């Protein structure tokens, strides 16, 4: 081994005794970085632990501990009597990859797959909107009304269960008690009769869209997609190589005739029949049957995204598409993001019989399920009846919040924003008066602490209307009223401007 001091280099190591990372971690990270980025050559000798400790003003024990960590990682090695050296294994014919070089140069341009490259460049400039629960953030349930104490109790109870349930690999298809609970929930509340075996638990509806896209689509396959439509599903399907066909939506839901005119040979259709995302219309029965017929003719699948179907507050909820599907082509996707809360990252697929074996293969071979704890607590929450009570209570709360929005809009937004009455869910839309721009209104509102989502964010081809999506689920009536007043000021200011 070459004997070189290498001592002076180490003076560049800065130890901050006030930092929240322990001194040993700081020293270990600094030495590791130097070794890996070529600050030392293989075979270089490190200063003696006593010397290094003195130079850096740290204890010798700390240095000895760090040396032993780096030795365990194989980065350095000790030779009795002659000192500590940078491991010779790091040498060889090729120079070490230099992180310093990478950091200083242009950001790496990774070679993505053609499909992902296309998706990333397609979606590149779109910003994520704030997700804080304030007026009129979309997609968030009423956090303030969630029974946290009950949840904490069930969570603690679950953790006291058997070690293998708490710590082991769970069922890759999802916990059976949750799948049973869901089958019974779907029968009782969504009119769907199914076998628990058809239900697969996933990390949110978003993972379901991604999985279905990668399972069923070849790059370039035509996918009917509501225009405007759901942002997350759109992104996932694009990332699976879909050629999205923007099918318009009206008061009766997806315009099937128009879809047929644009692309009668399609592979998949994505719809939100119970509460169109974002416009809010309910798909008529005639359109549902027309869609199923079109799918049958094209040998296509249909994704039904029933993201907030539990929250229909204007009379009886419409049937799900799945409940009238006689073709076996509807893949039903549900989520707990609205009915419980989104941090759970819990959703599910109800697969038609023809796809059950495929889901089983994919989930058991390529994925290993989602956290057992979350599933266990949700299953108990449903089984003990809290879910039903919660949903019933939330439905009333969303009704009241919607009323608060409608009242305030009538008082303050006349001639500026036409807020459409909603029948269901946690959001509605408002159409902007001519001359007002979605983008500048939403920027102006954001500066005043109010989030509105431009309708254009949901578009996959230009829309004839201009408007804002307004969430009312996450704010109590006083905050909604205050938000409407702010929005009115922003709109008036923009109109004057
Ligand atoms: C249309 C639509 N579907 C599904 C979801 C739920 O997705 P996830 O279960 O991944 O949270 C959302 C979330 O806002 C949504 O807007």
């Amino acid at each position: 081994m070459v004997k070189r001091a290498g001592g002076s280099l180490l003076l560049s190591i800065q130890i901050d005794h006030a930092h929240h990372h322990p001194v040993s971690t700081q020293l270990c990270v600094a030495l590791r970085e130097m070794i890996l980025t070529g600050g030392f050559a293989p075979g270089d000798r490190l200063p003696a632990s006593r010397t290094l400790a003195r130079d850096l003003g740290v204890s010798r024990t700390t240095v000895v501990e760090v040396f032993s960590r780096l030795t365990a990682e194989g980065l350095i090695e000790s030779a009795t009597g002659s000192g500590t050296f940078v491991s010779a294994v790091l040498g060889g014919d090729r120079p070490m990859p230099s992180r310093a070089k990478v950091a200083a140069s242009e950001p790496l341009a990774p070679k993505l797959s053609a499909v992902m490259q296309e998706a990333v460049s397609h979606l590149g400039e779109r910003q994520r909107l704030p997700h804080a629960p304030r007026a009129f953030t979309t997609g968030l349930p009423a956090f303030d009304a969630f029974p946290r104490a009950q949840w904490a109790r069930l969570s603690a109870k679950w953790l006291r269960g058997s070690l293998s349930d708490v710590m082991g690999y769970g069922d890759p298809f999802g916990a059976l008690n949750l799948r049973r609970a869901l089958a019974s929930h779907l029968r009782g509340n969504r009119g769907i009769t199914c076998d628990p075996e058809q239900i697969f638990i996933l990390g949110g509806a978003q993972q379901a869209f991604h999985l279905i896209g990668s399972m069923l689509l070849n790059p370039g396959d035509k996918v009917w997609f509501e225009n405007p439509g759901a942002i997350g599903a759109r992104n996932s399907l694009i990332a699976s190589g879909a050629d999205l066909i923007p099918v318009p939506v009206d008061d009766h839901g997806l315009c099937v005739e128009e879809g047929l005119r644009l692309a009668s040979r399609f592979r998949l259709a994505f719809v939100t029949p119970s509460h169109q995302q974002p416009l809010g219309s309910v798909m008529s029965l005639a359109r549902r049957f027309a869609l199923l017929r079109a799918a049958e003719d094209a040998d296509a699948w249909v994704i039904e995204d029933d993201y907030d179907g539990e929250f229909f507050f204007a009379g009886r909820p419409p049937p799900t598409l799945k409940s009238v599907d006689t073709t076996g082509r509807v893949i039903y996707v549900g989520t707990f993001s609205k009915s419980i809360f989104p941090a759970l990252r819990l959703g599910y697929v109800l697969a038609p019989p023809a796809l059950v074996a495929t889901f089983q293969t994919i989930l058991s071979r390529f994925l290993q399920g989602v956290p057992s704890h979350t599933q266990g607590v949700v299953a108990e929450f449903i089984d003990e009846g809290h879910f039903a009570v919660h949903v019933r209570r939330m439905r009333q709360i969303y009704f009241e919040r919607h009323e608060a929005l409608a009242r305030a809009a009538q008082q303050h937004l006349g001639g500026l924003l036409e807020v459409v009455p909603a029948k269901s869910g946690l959001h509605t839309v408002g159409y902007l008066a001519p001359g007002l721009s979605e983008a500048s209104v939403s920027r102006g509102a954001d500066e005043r602490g109010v989030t509105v989502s431009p309708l254009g964010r949901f578009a996959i081809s230009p829309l004839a209307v201009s408007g804002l999506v307004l969430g009312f689920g996450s704010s109590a009536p006083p905050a909604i009223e205050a938000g409407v007043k702010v929005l009115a000021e922003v709109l008036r200011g923009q109109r004057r401007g």
Side-chain angles (χ1 to χ4, degrees):
M1 266 176 208
V2 188
K3 291 199 177 186
R4 271 195 275 154
S8 60
L9 256 176
L10 303 191
L11 294 177
S12 66
I13 294 179
Q14 298 285 331
I15 298 293
D16 177 359
H17 290 270
H19 199 275
H20 64 277
H21 283 153
V23 169
S24 59
T25 305
Q26 293 179 50
L27 179 57
C28 192
V29 167
L31 283 174
R32 189 189 290 123
E33 181 78 13
M34 276 187 174
I35 293 168
L36 290 175
T37 57
F40 286 114
D44 273 0
R45 185 163 67 166
L46 297 180
S49 55
R50 198 183 304 276
T51 315
L52 186 55
R54 200 180 44 240
D55 284 354
L56 299 178
V58 303
S59 79
R60 182 162 172 248
T61 326
T62 301
V63 178
V64 170
E65 181 200 324
V66 168
F67 278 8
S68 94
R69 266 157 76 178
L70 294 173
T71 305
E73 290 174 20
L75 292 175
I76 61 175
E77 52 204 12
S78 305
T80 319
S82 46
T84 305
F85 299 87
V86 173
S87 177
V89 186
L90 300 174
D93 312 338
R94 285 147 47 97
M96 288 282 295
S98 160
R99 245 189 271 161
K101 223 194 278 170
V102 171
S105 64
E106 295 281 289
L108 271 181
K111 281 204 168 39
L112 301 179
S113 65
V115 160
M116 193 48 85
Q117 184 59 54
E118 170 73 20
V120 167
S121 51
H122 185 90
L123 301 167
E125 307 100 55
R126 299 178 197 232
Q127 300 277 319
R128 202 163 181 258
L129 283 182
H131 264 61
R134 62 186 200 182
F136 299 100
T137 307
T138 55
L140 292 186
F143 293 165
D144 51 328
F146 189 74
R148 278 228 280 183
Q150 243 155 23
W151 191 261
R153 180 181 62 75
L154 293 178
S155 181
K157 179 177 159 199
W158 193 86
L159 286 171
R160 289 193 298 272
S162 85
L163 283 184
S164 72
D165 282 352
V166 172
M167 295 185 183
Y169 282 103
D171 186 329
F173 308 154
L176 193 55
N177 57 347
L178 178 56
R179 296 161 78 202
R180 285 201 186 113
L182 271 169
S184 130
H185 164 71
L186 290 173
R187 198 164 30 248
N189 295 287
R190 307 303 291 136
I192 299 171
T193 305
C194 66
D195 193 313
E197 302 264 303
Q198 289 174 261
I199 297 177
F200 298 94
I201 311 293
L202 292 165
Q206 191 61 34
Q207 193 189 20
F209 305 142
H210 208 83
L211 184 62
I212 296 168
S214 60
M215 236 166 92
L216 298 179
L217 296 179
N218 287 310
D221 275 352
K222 301 210 177 311
V223 175
W224 285 10
F225 202 86
E226 295 170 332
N227 187 42
I231 293 174
R234 172 195 71 199
N235 295 354
S236 278
L237 294 172
I238 289 177
S240 299
D243 174 10
L244 291 191
I245 306 297
V247 183
V249 183
D250 62 18
D251 289 347
H252 305 280
L254 186 90
C255 298
V256 177
E257 281 301 314
E258 193 55 18
L260 286 169
R261 197 186 61 75
L262 292 167
S264 60
R265 308 311 308 167
F266 61 104
R267 171 87 176 128
L268 179 71
F270 174 91
V271 283
T272 46
S274 295
H275 188 219
Q276 204 276 329
Q277 170 76 319
L279 299 182
S281 54
V282 175
M283 197 177 194
S284 68
L285 209 55
R287 291 275 176 88
R288 289 171 193 236
F289 288 131
L291 173 61
L292 293 172
R293 260 195 314 272
E296 200 164 29
D297 291 347
D299 193 16
W301 300 102
V302 178
I303 297 179
E304 173 177 24
D305 176 13
D306 194 25
Y307 61 105
D308 65 1
E310 289 89 358
F311 298 114
F312 201 84
F313 44 71
R316 284 195 62 72
T320 54
L321 181 63
K322 183 76 193 168
S323 67
V324 296
D325 173 29
T326 48
T327 67
R329 293 178 177 276
V330 175
I331 309 168
Y332 176 93
V333 176
T335 176
F336 288 107
S337 288
K338 318 290 173 211
S339 56
I340 302 187
F341 53 83
L344 288 178
R345 305 310 309 127
L346 205 64
Y348 54 95
V349 162
L350 165 55
L355 284 178
V356 167
T358 313
F359 270 101
Q360 285 173 343
T361 306
I362 289 178
L363 290 176
S364 56
R365 311 264 165 87
F366 310 143
L367 299 169
Q368 261 308 336
V370 295
S372 308
H373 181 199
T374 317
Q375 297 184 65
V377 179
V378 171
E380 279 286 292
F381 193 66
I382 299 177
D383 283 343
E384 285 194 4
H386 308 301
F387 183 68
V389 172
H390 178 60
V391 166
R392 210 172 287 126
R393 185 159 161 253
M394 291 294 97
R395 203 181 286 142
Q396 178 62 23
I397 286 179
Y398 295 141
F399 169 73
E400 287 162 12
R401 292 182 179 188
H402 172 259
E403 291 295 290
L405 172 60
R407 258 194 323 271
Q410 205 174 23
Q411 260 179 2
H412 304 285
L413 295 176
L416 297 164
L417 187 74
E418 186 204 337
V419 176
V420 177
K423 296 192 185 83
S424 169
L426 292 65
H427 71 266
T428 188
V429 280
Y431 292 107
L432 282 164
L436 288 165
S437 134
E438 289 181 357
S440 46
V441 169
S442 58
R443 257 194 317 274
D446 186 48
E447 283 161 15
R448 303 276 312 269
V450 167
T451 303
V452 289
S453 190
L455 211 44
R457 288 173 61 81
F458 298 79
I460 49 172
S461 74
L463 300 173
V465 288
S466 125
L468 306 172
V469 182
L470 306 167
F472 52 78
S474 66
S475 309
I480 291 178
E481 282 149 29
V484 166
K485 285 183 192 156
V486 170
L487 189 55
E489 284 165 23
V490 171
L491 289 163
R492 273 196 293 271
Q494 299 250 336
R495 177 179 266 179
R496 277 198 300 274

